[in-house]
Amino acid sequence: MADTDPDCIFCKIVAGELPSERVDEDENTVAFMDLNPATRGHALVVPRRHAKNLLDIDPEDLAATIRAAQRLARRALPALGADGVNLMNSCGPAAWQTVFHLHLHVIPRYDGDPLKLPWIPQPGDSNEIAAAAALLRA
Ligand code: 5GP
Ligand code: ZN
């Protein structure tokens, strides 16, 4: 996989060819504000090297991206007065991914903000849970 995809908007943001509100960077990662924030302070952390998604990314780049997300999350609470943080990643269109350069959403959360879990927690069928577990075991 090439380090850069010429058709990728996040590669262009990393290269400075498209504008962004950059908030953090290191040797392997860049973080910038999401254009459509879920909450105040919603940012995205990306690896500098193009990787399509969670399945595709080099584990070292993934580790660097998660470390950068932790750095930003630690900053978000005192800097923004946030009360919590969600980290989110979507892998594949079925999982809502719309930009195909891996990114972690760092979403500051505020007591009483309007975000909701996208599923309704309710007890599953124990046989189905066990059957899925059997498929997942290596
Ligand atoms: P996904 O849907 O793939 O999980 O997340 C893509 C995110 O990228 C969305 O939250 C969207 O608002 C954000 N986004 C899309 N295009 C741009 C852009 O050009 N600049 C910035 N800063 N964010 C973008
Ligand atoms: Zn890219």
Side-chain angles (χ1 to χ4, degrees):
M1 167 74 67
D3 285 359
T4 299
D5 176 341
D7 298 323
C8 171
I9 53 172
F10 287 179
C11 282
K12 290 189 171 118
I13 286 175
V14 167
E17 293 162 14
L18 280 178
S20 70
E21 286 287 349
R22 209 173 268 221
V23 290
D24 187 74
E25 60 188 304
D26 64 18
E27 195 186 337
N28 300 305
T29 69
V30 174
F32 52 91
M33 302 306 280
D34 195 301
L35 279 187
N36 305 288
T39 65
R40 185 170 62 91
H42 179 175
L44 302 170
V45 185
V46 304
R48 287 183 184 274
R49 281 202 291 180
H50 180 84
K52 200 168 56 182
N53 60 33
L54 178 69
L55 306 180
D56 200 41
I57 189 170
D58 172 83
E60 292 301 322
D61 278 347
L62 178 62
T65 306
I66 290 182
R67 280 196 295 270
Q70 184 191 43
R71 192 160 65 228
L72 201 52
R74 284 180 166 163
R75 217 184 290 154
L77 273 76
L80 298 168
D83 301 300
V85 177
N86 282 119
L87 276 194
M88 198 184 110
N89 170 253
S90 300
C91 178
W96 306 328
Q97 186 174 9
T98 61
V99 176
F100 295 91
H101 177 135
L102 178 130
H103 47 282
L104 298 181
H105 295 259
V106 180
I107 305 174
R109 299 299 306 275
Y110 303 90
D111 288 340
D113 75 34
L115 299 195
K116 298 257 184 278
L117 268 183
W119 67 92
I120 299 168
Q122 50 193 334
D125 177 88
S126 57
N127 290 329
E128 282 180 20
I129 292 171
L135 292 172
L136 284 171
R137 283 185 196 106

